[in-house]
Amino acid sequence: MSRPDHMDVAAYALGVLDEQDTERFEEHLAACWACAAELETMVPVVGLLSDIDGETMMALEQTATDPALLDRTLGAVRADRRRTRFRQLLATAAAVVVFGGLTGYGFVSVAGDETPDLLAEPTATAPVNDPPTSVPTARPSGPGVGGTEEEGDQVDATDPTTGVQTTMFLVKREYGTRINFSLRKLPGPRICRLVVVRKNADTEVISTWSVPEGGYGTNTRPQGLELSASTAAPTSDIKQIQVQSVDANGVASPLVTVPM
């Protein structure tokens, strides 16, 4: 674009360009971020100028001969600019919160849908005490269960206390272990997490999710929940995998444990 195109921002903002020049500048503005940004900064000034009447203009002329009046005028302008910047900062902060919340929203899928990998940063947790041994169960059937053969070593378990059932498939990878798992008889509402316990007693939270009021694999919601997560721990180094419920105070309790 030519230099005159960039010089027309103020004239366009004040509305002094003729129809032909206005059309030409708007075509330039559509592809020039610099002019668009400059035009945005002029909008408040144009609004202020539109409110100036004849008496105000006479008062402004007096500032040329009255230094005190000039200082007061400049002070008022600076104060207005600070208020404008503050409002812009609030608007920007609000936008960041909204879009940050949207991009941070996690997706889980119920059985029967394609399940994406849900990767969580390794998080150190308190040592996990061994709960009552979960009872191995047969491969379940019913709504939300079935389909093609899963990859990896299958492990099934049902907790004798909570009644929560799980089927896990452990897939060996170069980076560690991928765990594809489903849950049934899982009541809600609650917050859950998947914890890997290594043979040296180190623990690692590799996934978290929320359970709605109807739960999963229940009378209210027959479909089970299917998720996927990964850990750096090799399969041979895993002692057990535990699904935990986390209360409002951050205290975790086991829902079902899969011994390895």
Side-chain angles (χ1 to χ4, degrees):
M1 295 295 174
S2 63
R3 181 175 179 81
D5 288 329
H6 298 287
M7 300 294 290
D8 286 341
V9 180
Y12 177 79
L14 294 172
V16 298
L17 294 177
D18 59 27
E19 182 177 352
Q20 181 178 359
D21 288 340
T22 297
E23 183 178 355
R24 176 187 54 78
F25 180 76
E26 288 178 347
E27 292 178 355
H28 165 76
L29 186 65
C32 182
W33 287 100
C35 286
E38 184 178 354
L39 178 61
E40 184 178 1
T41 63
M42 289 186 178
V43 172
V45 178
V46 174
L48 290 174
L49 291 176
S50 64
D51 294 333
I52 296 177
D53 53 20
E55 293 182 358
T56 305
M57 290 298 297
M58 293 179 63
L60 291 175
E61 291 177 358
Q62 294 178 11
T63 61
T65 57
D66 187 346
L69 180 57
L70 176 60
D71 290 339
R72 290 196 297 274
T73 302
L74 292 176
V77 171
R78 295 190 188 101
D80 182 75
R81 287 179 177 175
R82 286 195 295 269
R83 287 193 297 271
T84 300
R85 289 196 188 98
F86 182 68
R87 288 193 296 268
Q88 291 173 343
L89 286 174
L90 288 179
T92 301
V96 170
V97 171
V98 171
F99 286 106
L102 289 175
T103 56
Y105 180 80
F107 291 91
V108 299
S109 61
V110 296
D113 296 334
E114 184 179 356
T115 56
D117 288 348
L118 299 180
L119 304 181
E121 291 294 331
T123 304
T125 62
V128 177
N129 297 324
D130 292 342
T133 303
S134 299
V135 180
T137 59
R139 177 64 171 162
S141 61
V145 178
T148 58
E149 188 71 18
E150 289 279 0
E151 179 185 8
D153 298 328
Q154 177 179 342
V155 183
D156 302 307
T158 299
D159 190 277
T161 302
T162 65
V164 176
Q165 301 175 357
T166 185
T167 297
M168 296 189 178
F169 293 90
L170 278 67
V171 186
K172 297 179 181 179
R173 296 294 191 214
E174 292 183 354
Y175 57 76
T177 304
R178 176 176 174 178
I179 304 172
N180 301 321
F181 62 104
S182 63
L183 293 167
R184 299 164 303 284
K185 308 298 182 183
L186 177 62
R190 67 181 65 240
I191 299 297
C192 295
R193 66 185 186 183
L194 187 67
V195 179
V196 170
V197 183
R198 300 194 185 206
K199 291 181 179 179
N200 63 0
D202 287 345
T203 61
E204 177 187 9
V205 176
I206 62 173
S207 182
T208 62
W209 65 93
S210 62
V211 180
E213 185 174 354
Y216 290 105
T218 63
N219 292 334
T220 303
R221 186 196 296 265
Q223 286 186 318
L225 174 67
E226 291 189 351
L227 297 171
S228 180
S230 293
T231 174
T235 305
S236 59
D237 193 33
I238 298 176
K239 176 183 178 182
Q240 64 183 29
I241 304 171
Q242 189 174 94
V243 177
Q244 298 178 347
S245 177
V246 184
D247 64 19
N249 297 319
V251 178
S253 57
L255 291 175
V256 60
T257 301
V258 177
M260 303 299 295

